[in-house]
Every structure is written in C-alpha cells, then in structure tokens.
Amino acid sequence: MDGWLQRTAFPSIGGTFQPGVDHPANFELDLGLTDLPFAIANRRTETQQADYHARIGWLRSVSNIQNAFGVCSFADELAHINGRRPDEFLLDLIGPDRKIDPSQGDYKYGNYGETLEKFPIDTARLKNVLRRTAARADFDTDGGEGWGIAVHRSFLSYVGIATRVQVRDEQLKILQMHCVADVGLAVNPDRVKSQMEGAMIFGMSLALMGEIKMQNGAVANSNFHDYPLLRMHQCPSLTVELVASGEPPAGVGEPGVPPVAPSITNAIFAASGQRIRELPINKHLKIG
C-alpha cells in the first residue's frame, strides 16, 4: 500500500486537569494510532479540534478502544474491497518481520513508559497472533452467519479476537468469541486467561450497548435499566489461548478489550453485508 491518511477528533482527558485543551494529546495518539504496525510507504496522522464539554475519566483500555475500532474496521473494509480474506490481507498489510519505532523528528513515541529495546513493536509477534486467531475462524460461513477478526497491540501485549455472529431479522446473536494473546511471560496463566475473558465480556458490553447519554451537561444514565451490561444469555462461548513466550511480562488487564468491537462489526458485515461504523451496535440491530 502506498499511502494511509488517518484523522481523529475526540476530547482529551487533559481537559480534566487544565483549561484550553481542544485536541487529542500525543500520549492518546500513541495508544493504537501513531504505532500503526502496517508496512505503508507514506502515512499521515492528523488531529482535529474537539472541545471539552464534560469531565472525562479513565476507561479500561482508554484511547486504544476508538483507535483499534477505526483501524481494524478500515483494514477489514479494504480486504473486502480487494476481494481478499481478512486475515490474509492483514498479513500483507503488516508486511515483513521487523521492529518499529514510530518516533520521527520532534515526535517521540511513548511506548507505555517502557523502552523500545525491552518492549519493541514486533510485527512477527503480531502476525503470529493473527495466524493463530485466524485458525479459529471459518471465513466461508454463510446462511446469515459470519466471522470477523481484529488484532491489536496495546499495553505492550498482542491480542487477536475472532468472533462468529448470526444476523437474522435485524437481530444479532454472538455465537462464539476466541482470543489469542501474547503477553510475554505469563507468570500466572490462569489469572491472565481470567483477565482476557473479563476483557471480552467488558468489550461486548461496550460495543453492543455502551452508550453514555448527556442531558443539560450531565450524564443521564442512572442505573442498569438505562445503561445495560451483557447478560448471561447474551454471552457466547469464550476461549483464550496464551502464546508461550519468554519475552518480558506485559499488560493483561486492558489489552483484551480493543479488538473486541471491530471483530464483532467485521463479523456482522460478513454475515449480513451491513457495515457498522457507529457504536453501540444496538443503534442498528436488536441484541439477541
């Protein structure tokens, strides 16, 4: 691919702590946007003004959520435009095995406060996760069912999600969700798997129903009746595969969330031809 232009606009959490903040900050762009792992000859990232209107707090996985949704969704769109399987197209998009340093000129990549020598952006690890995730999916599924895939590096870990959905009569049902995670050395694998399972459930709640509504400058949601979470009957079967690794231990609390939403919406497109670019999904489909 010759060129990639990406623009983003969202209120920065920096506005919580100081006045006059009206653009996303560099440390927020570092969470899945400036560290784009694709082999693209020319790349440009632009921010747009987004005024701060209400106090902002931290959310699990922070800016990786919207950045991964945009990048992974667009990569899937490109795959279908080019008549390619999403995983095969992604492998080509990521390109050769290499270590990436996004720093250029005065811009210095933050890398979650760690050095790139100890925790490099390693495309070989990302591709390995992608291949293992794709092996769990059947991209030839039809009859109102489809698979979606997304991979993302965040908090120094590499996570892939493959999701199988059914779309019938404008109703969505998530049937399966598989996670493959390379988090470096997993000191307590059972706890790591639990974190990834929780991340998948949390990510589904956000993607399917997670809308915060504002009224007169305040949050209007008050409890679970108007801010629903994933119910037991809506939760699909979940599997987690941890990649055996001798690399230094990396994050496990947040990296499982970002690929969830794009894997679901990519699966919806595969099942129904409907491309969802605005979340939550219950604005477009009933949730089964």
Side-chain angles (χ1 to χ4, degrees):
M1 182 178 291
D2 293 326
W4 180 287
L5 170 62
Q6 54 190 11
R7 296 188 179 100
T8 185
F10 58 89
S12 171
I13 197 169
T16 298
F17 310 106
Q18 64 186 57
V21 176
D22 60 2
H23 277 72
N26 283 356
F27 73 86
E28 293 165 314
L29 304 179
D30 284 352
L31 308 182
L33 208 62
T34 56
D35 52 354
L36 198 69
F38 299 153
I40 300 173
N42 303 284
R43 193 178 77 220
R44 182 181 178 91
T45 300
E46 299 178 357
T47 64
Q48 307 296 323
Q49 183 173 348
D51 293 328
Y52 172 88
H53 295 294
R55 183 178 177 86
I56 299 172
W58 302 110
L59 181 69
R60 183 179 184 181
S61 307
V62 287
S63 298
N64 282 289
I65 296 174
Q66 69 262 27
N67 292 339
F69 181 68
V71 170
C72 296
S73 297
F74 188 53
D76 191 75
E77 293 198 30
L78 291 175
H80 285 282
I81 288 172
N82 285 276
R84 301 283 305 281
R85 264 183 40 159
D87 59 318
E88 295 172 351
F89 182 83
L90 268 174
L91 285 170
D92 288 345
L93 195 57
I94 295 169
D97 295 349
R98 65 201 187 283
K99 309 289 177 61
I100 297 172
D101 183 356
S103 300
Q104 291 187 11
D106 294 334
Y107 172 75
K108 303 300 179 185
Y109 175 64
N111 202 35
Y112 300 90
E114 297 286 350
T115 66
L116 285 168
E117 288 72 29
K118 184 177 181 180
F119 291 98
I121 302 173
D122 189 339
T123 62
R125 293 175 70 185
L126 184 67
K127 290 194 295 182
N128 180 49
V129 165
L130 172 57
R131 291 189 183 100
R132 288 170 177 263
T133 306
R136 305 250 177 187
D138 177 8
F139 293 102
D140 295 325
T141 302
D142 55 16
E145 295 185 5
W147 283 90
I149 193 169
V151 291
H152 187 71
R153 176 189 185 265
S154 66
F155 301 94
L156 313 172
S157 293
Y158 304 79
V159 177
I161 298 287
T163 302
R164 175 176 164 234
V165 306
Q166 177 189 85
V167 181
R168 291 179 182 168
D169 300 323
E170 300 298 315
Q171 179 164 299
L172 168 69
K173 186 174 182 61
I174 302 180
L175 303 175
Q176 298 178 47
M177 185 171 286
H178 302 280
C179 170
V180 178
D182 180 350
V183 301
L185 177 63
V187 177
N188 189 329
D190 185 61
R191 295 302 91 199
V192 176
K193 288 183 177 180
S194 295
Q195 286 282 6
M196 293 300 157
E197 289 168 348
M200 287 189 278
I201 293 170
F202 179 78
M204 281 186 277
S205 289
L206 288 181
L208 297 174
M209 301 166 286
E211 182 179 16
I212 295 292
K213 298 179 180 179
M214 305 293 292
Q215 185 174 2
N216 299 324
V219 174
N221 310 68
S222 63
N223 213 314
F224 295 130
H225 70 285
D226 54 12
Y227 187 79
L229 303 179
L230 194 74
R231 304 289 293 273
M232 291 182 68
H233 73 276
Q234 297 168 324
C235 187
S237 63
L238 306 175
T239 65
V240 178
E241 175 190 349
L242 298 183
V243 177
S245 175
E247 298 294 333
V252 299
E254 302 184 83
V257 176
V260 171
S263 77
I264 296 172
T265 53
N266 291 343
I268 290 171
F269 177 81
S272 67
Q274 180 178 1
R275 183 67 73 179
I276 292 178
R277 300 185 178 94
E278 180 187 7
L279 299 177
I281 295 168
N282 66 358
K283 289 184 175 180
H284 314 276
L285 294 169
K286 295 177 289 185
I287 309 301

